[in-house]
Amino acid sequence: LKKEYIELTRLIERLHRRFLDVLRAELNRIGIRDINAVQALLLANIGDEEVVIRDLMRRGYYQGSNVSYNIKKLVDMGYLQQERSIHDRRSVSIRLAEKSQPVVKSIRDLEEYNAAALIKQEVSAEEIDSISRSLRRIERTWTDYIHYGDT
């Protein structure tokens, strides 16, 4: 199990990098050159929601300095709108600006394309569901380790 686990952690890392490569290719295909793949993924994860920046970090999507830097860049380039809470000036909400809509739509279309490609490769919904359940268990194991150590 140890060997398989180590290979799995390497595969997760490679898959993440490969997914960012796919997003970069899509950005190039649609002629978007002013944002990077991580920023495009951030836009897609925000979607139609208005979210507080700290909630993005709590969800586990991003590290603090990374998300702050990317949000500032996306606001400066007109992809995001931000607003400070009138009740808590430290709290900032963000939402997609009109400029980000084509990027998010393209990413959604790409997700549908890749899902269809998996179907063509005869990957079943049950297989995807099983993989997802296993990855969530790994995520829970890692989260527990972060919060509670090896107790």
Side-chain angles (χ1 to χ4, degrees), residues 46 49-56 71 75 80-86 88-96:
I46 292 168
E49 297 180 67
E50 181 169 313
V51 296
V52 177
I53 294 172
R54 74 174 166 267
D55 289 343
L56 287 173
I71 286 173
V75 168
L80 285 177
Q81 297 173 340
Q82 68 179 5
E83 184 178 309
R84 287 207 179 274
S85 168
I86 58 173
D88 181 357
R89 301 301 292 168
R90 297 169 296 170
S91 180
V92 177
S93 296
I94 54 173
R95 66 183 169 284
L96 298 180

Coordinates of all heavy atoms in Angstrom, one line a residue, residues 46 49-56 71 75 80-86 88-96:
I46 N -15.3 30.9 -8.6 CA -16.2 31.9 -8.0 C -17.5 31.7 -8.7 O -18.6 31.8 -8.1 CB -15.6 33.3 -8.2 CG1 -14.3 33.5 -7.4 CG2 -16.6 34.4 -7.9 CD1 -13.5 34.7 -7.7
E49 N -21.4 33.2 -7.9 CA -21.5 33.6 -6.5 C -20.8 35.0 -6.3 O -20.0 35.4 -7.0 CB -20.8 32.6 -5.6 CG -21.4 31.2 -5.6 CD -20.6 30.3 -4.7 OE1 -20.7 30.5 -3.5 OE2 -19.9 29.4 -5.2
E50 N -21.3 35.6 -5.2 CA -20.5 36.7 -4.6 C -19.9 36.1 -3.3 O -20.6 35.6 -2.5 CB -21.4 37.8 -4.2 CG -20.6 39.0 -3.7 CD -21.5 40.3 -3.5 OE1 -22.1 40.6 -4.5 OE2 -21.4 40.9 -2.5
V51 N -18.6 36.0 -3.3 CA -17.9 35.4 -2.2 C -17.0 36.3 -1.4 O -16.5 37.3 -2.0 CB -17.1 34.1 -2.7 CG1 -18.0 33.1 -3.3 CG2 -16.0 34.5 -3.6
V52 N -16.8 36.0 -0.2 CA -15.8 36.7 0.7 C -14.5 36.0 0.5 O -14.4 34.7 0.4 CB -16.3 36.6 2.1 CG1 -15.2 37.3 3.1 CG2 -17.6 37.3 2.3
I53 N -13.4 36.7 0.3 CA -12.1 36.2 0.0 C -11.7 35.1 1.0 O -11.2 34.0 0.6 CB -11.1 37.3 -0.1 CG1 -11.4 38.2 -1.3 CG2 -9.7 36.7 -0.2 CD1 -10.5 39.5 -1.3
R54 N -11.9 35.3 2.2 CA -11.5 34.3 3.2 C -12.3 33.0 3.1 O -11.8 31.9 3.4 CB -11.7 34.8 4.7 CG -13.0 34.9 5.2 CD -13.1 35.3 6.7 NE -14.4 35.8 7.0 CZ -14.8 37.0 7.0 NH1 -14.0 38.0 6.7 NH2 -16.1 37.3 7.3
D55 N -13.5 33.0 2.5 CA -14.2 31.8 2.2 C -13.5 30.9 1.1 O -13.5 29.7 1.2 CB -15.7 32.1 1.8 CG -16.5 32.6 2.9 OD1 -16.1 32.4 4.1 OD2 -17.6 33.2 2.7
L56 N -12.9 31.6 0.1 CA -12.1 30.9 -0.9 C -11.0 30.1 -0.2 O -10.7 29.0 -0.6 CB -11.6 31.8 -1.9 CG -12.6 32.4 -2.9 CD1 -11.9 33.4 -3.8 CD2 -13.2 31.3 -3.8
I71 N -6.3 37.9 -6.8 CA -7.6 38.7 -6.8 C -7.2 40.2 -7.2 O -7.9 40.8 -8.0 CB -8.3 38.6 -5.5 CG1 -9.0 37.2 -5.4 CG2 -9.3 39.7 -5.3 CD1 -9.6 36.9 -4.1
V75 N -8.8 42.1 -10.3 CA -9.6 43.3 -10.1 C -8.9 44.4 -11.0 O -9.6 45.1 -11.8 CB -9.6 43.7 -8.7 CG1 -10.1 45.2 -8.5 CG2 -10.5 42.8 -7.9
L80 N -12.7 40.9 -12.1 CA -13.4 40.8 -10.9 C -13.8 42.2 -10.3 O -13.1 43.2 -10.6 CB -12.5 40.2 -9.8 CG -12.3 38.7 -9.8 CD1 -11.4 38.2 -8.7 CD2 -13.6 37.9 -9.8
Q81 N -14.9 42.2 -9.6 CA -15.3 43.4 -8.9 C -15.2 43.1 -7.4 O -15.6 42.0 -7.0 CB -16.7 43.8 -9.3 CG -16.9 44.2 -10.7 CD -18.3 44.4 -11.1 OE1 -19.2 44.0 -10.4 NE2 -18.5 45.1 -12.2
Q82 N -14.8 44.0 -6.6 CA -14.7 43.8 -5.2 C -15.4 44.9 -4.4 O -15.5 46.0 -4.9 CB -13.3 43.6 -4.7 CG -12.4 44.8 -4.8 CD -11.0 44.5 -4.2 OE1 -10.7 43.4 -3.9 NE2 -10.2 45.6 -4.2
E83 N -15.9 44.5 -3.2 CA -16.6 45.5 -2.4 C -16.3 45.2 -0.9 O -16.4 44.0 -0.5 CB -18.1 45.4 -2.7 CG -18.9 46.4 -2.0 CD -20.4 46.2 -2.4 OE1 -20.7 46.2 -3.6 OE2 -21.2 46.1 -1.5
R84 N -16.0 46.2 -0.2 CA -15.7 46.0 1.3 C -17.1 46.0 2.0 O -18.0 46.7 1.6 CB -14.9 47.2 1.8 CG -13.5 47.1 1.4 CD -12.6 47.8 2.5 NE -11.2 47.7 2.0 CZ -10.4 46.6 2.3 NH1 -10.9 45.6 3.0 NH2 -9.2 46.6 1.9
S85 N -17.2 45.2 3.0 CA -18.4 45.1 3.8 C -18.5 46.4 4.6 O -17.6 47.0 5.1 CB -18.3 43.9 4.8 OG -19.3 44.0 5.7
I86 N -19.8 46.9 4.6 CA -20.0 48.2 5.4 C -20.0 47.8 6.9 O -19.7 48.7 7.7 CB -21.3 48.8 5.0 CG1 -22.5 47.9 5.2 CG2 -21.3 49.4 3.6 CD1 -23.9 48.5 5.0
D88 N -17.9 45.2 8.3 CA -16.6 44.8 8.7 C -15.7 45.2 7.6 O -15.6 44.5 6.6 CB -16.6 43.3 8.9 CG -15.2 42.8 9.3 OD1 -14.2 43.6 9.4 OD2 -15.1 41.6 9.6
R89 N -15.0 46.3 7.8 CA -14.1 46.9 6.7 C -13.0 45.9 6.3 O -12.4 46.1 5.3 CB -13.5 48.2 7.1 CG -14.6 49.3 7.5 CD -15.5 49.6 6.3 NE -14.8 50.3 5.3 CZ -15.3 50.5 4.1 NH1 -16.5 50.0 3.8 NH2 -14.6 51.1 3.1
R90 N -12.7 44.9 7.1 CA -11.7 44.0 6.8 C -12.2 42.9 5.8 O -11.4 42.3 5.1 CB -11.1 43.2 8.0 CG -10.5 44.2 9.0 CD -10.2 43.5 10.3 NE -11.5 43.1 10.9 CZ -11.7 42.3 11.9 NH1 -10.7 41.7 12.5 NH2 -12.9 42.0 12.4
S91 N -13.5 42.8 5.7 CA -14.1 41.7 4.9 C -14.3 42.3 3.5 O -15.0 43.4 3.3 CB -15.4 41.3 5.5 OG -16.0 40.3 4.7
V92 N -13.9 41.6 2.5 CA -14.0 42.0 1.1 C -14.8 40.9 0.3 O -14.4 39.7 0.3 CB -12.6 42.3 0.4 CG1 -12.8 42.6 -1.1 CG2 -11.9 43.3 1.2
S93 N -15.8 41.3 -0.4 CA -16.6 40.4 -1.2 C -16.1 40.6 -2.7 O -15.8 41.7 -3.1 CB -18.1 40.6 -1.1 OG -18.6 40.4 0.1
I94 N -16.1 39.5 -3.4 CA -15.8 39.6 -4.9 C -16.8 38.9 -5.7 O -17.5 38.0 -5.2 CB -14.4 39.0 -5.1 CG1 -14.3 37.6 -4.6 CG2 -13.3 39.9 -4.6 CD1 -13.0 36.9 -5.0
R95 N -17.0 39.4 -6.9 CA -17.9 38.7 -7.9 C -17.3 38.9 -9.3 O -16.4 39.8 -9.5 CB -19.3 39.2 -7.8 CG -19.4 40.7 -8.2 CD -20.9 41.2 -8.0 NE -21.0 42.6 -8.1 CZ -20.6 43.5 -7.2 NH1 -20.1 43.1 -6.0 NH2 -20.7 44.8 -7.4
L96 N -17.7 38.1 -10.2 CA -17.2 38.2 -11.6 C -17.7 39.5 -12.2 O -18.8 39.9 -12.0 CB -17.7 37.0 -12.4 CG -17.3 35.6 -12.0 CD1 -17.8 34.6 -12.9 CD2 -15.8 35.5 -11.9

